Amino acid sequence: MIADVKTLGKAYLEAGNSLVLIGAPGTGKTAWCKTLCDDLNYGYLAVVLAHKEGTDIGGLPMCTSDGYTAFARPTLLRDIEVVCEKAAKALLVLDEVSSCRPDVQLLVQELFWAHRLGDFPLPQNLVVWGTANPPEMAADGREFADSLASRVSCIEWEPSPREIQAWFGPKGPCGQYKNSKDLHGFLGQFPNLALEKPRQALNGELPGVWANPRNWERLLQVMPFVTSQNALLLHCERTIGPVAAPE
């Protein structure tokens, strides 16, 4: 249950320990990290590792005046320091750990176990977490190196249908949309449609189309502006997939 994972995650954060949340895309891993930080008044910074190269994490090598190699301070370190200066404690979320390049994953290990960014120590009030998709679901997905998996707790993130339904209730993070109440009732009636497993596109389908919390929210964002039934059906098919859309 996600409720148990959230309880454990809060304990990890307050204890200053690292973890990696592993779950399907679009299921709210990073969004929950931000919500948790807001609730605890922690600073928050998320970095998408799939977009980063080794020099973005460890700094660009340069030659010093005495002929040695040193590393320039990476801009990521500046961003971290800004967040940590504004809050008593802060959380850095390394998003898409399973999609980063091998050289970046090596540097990420140091972030977790040595609390360093290349040659530079991290602020003491910073906690480092990660989020990841299972390799078969990730863009250019890779298995974790054993050396990384042994240094951080990996916790499965898979919300239940009822937990996804609650996101669209009056007290949920997506309860503010015009049709949230209708979707909340729909997911209560058809809980099996709340979350599909990502799958390969078949029969001319566009890729990346399946029911998950992120796509349900996208459905709600556009619905008030759709002016025809056919356009609405097309929007549903291309947002939550051909299984849930006809319902």
Side-chain angles (χ1 to χ4, degrees):
M1 294 288 289
I2 290 298
D4 296 329
V5 174
K6 289 181 176 180
T7 299
L8 182 60
K10 182 174 181 290
Y12 268 72
L13 184 57
E14 292 179 321
N17 282 26
S18 296
L19 61 77
V20 175
L21 297 173
I22 302 178
T27 53
K29 301 181 294 296
T30 308
W32 173 70
C33 293
K34 176 65 166 64
T35 299
L36 177 62
C37 287
D38 289 344
D39 291 344
L40 296 176
N41 292 318
Y42 277 47
Y44 174 81
L45 177 65
V47 177
V48 181
L49 290 180
H51 301 163
K52 300 298 181 182
E53 297 183 354
T55 53
D56 296 320
I57 306 298
L60 190 69
M62 58 184 184
C63 185
T64 64
S65 58
D66 53 4
Y68 290 97
T69 299
F71 290 86
R73 286 168 54 88
T75 55
L76 176 57
L77 181 61
R78 177 201 62 198
D79 296 340
I80 290 172
E81 290 173 342
V82 168
V83 171
C84 289
E85 287 171 1
K86 294 180 179 179
K89 292 184 179 181
L91 175 65
L92 169 65
V93 176
L94 304 172
D95 203 7
E96 299 186 12
V97 175
S98 51
S99 294
C100 67
R101 295 160 36 134
D103 59 323
V104 173
Q105 194 172 126
L106 287 171
L107 291 165
V108 166
Q109 293 184 42
E110 213 174 17
L111 280 167
F112 281 122
W113 65 266
H115 212 65
R116 299 182 64 83
L117 197 63
D119 283 352
F120 308 99
L122 295 175
Q124 291 301 306
N125 62 333
L126 181 74
V127 182
V128 182
W129 282 9
T131 68
N133 307 133
E136 67 275 10
M137 300 181 189
D140 196 22
R142 297 177 174 88
E143 295 283 355
F144 285 152
D146 290 340
S147 53
L148 174 57
S150 66
R151 287 179 167 88
V152 61
S153 296
C154 298
I155 301 176
E156 184 179 13
W157 177 276
E158 185 173 351
S160 70
R162 293 304 180 193
E163 287 167 329
I164 294 174
Q165 180 196 12
W167 291 9
F168 302 96
K171 296 182 179 180
C174 300
Q176 75 275 21
Y177 298 105
K178 179 179 179 180
N179 299 102
S180 292
K181 182 178 180 180
D182 295 331
L183 179 57
H184 182 266
F186 173 83
L187 294 177
Q189 186 176 359
F190 300 101
N192 59 307
L193 298 179
L195 179 63
E196 286 187 278
K197 296 292 186 182
R199 53 187 172 75
Q200 295 294 322
L202 301 172
N203 300 323
E205 295 173 1
L206 295 180
V209 181
W210 65 84
N212 61 53
R214 181 188 296 157
N215 286 347
W216 283 117
E217 183 179 12
R218 289 174 53 229
L219 182 77
L220 293 180
Q221 290 170 339
V222 176
M223 280 183 70
F225 303 97
V226 179
T227 57
S228 76
Q229 194 66 29
N230 288 339
L232 178 60
L233 179 58
L234 179 61
H235 173 49
C236 292
E237 289 176 345
R238 294 311 185 188
T239 306
I240 56 174
V243 177
E247 299 295 340

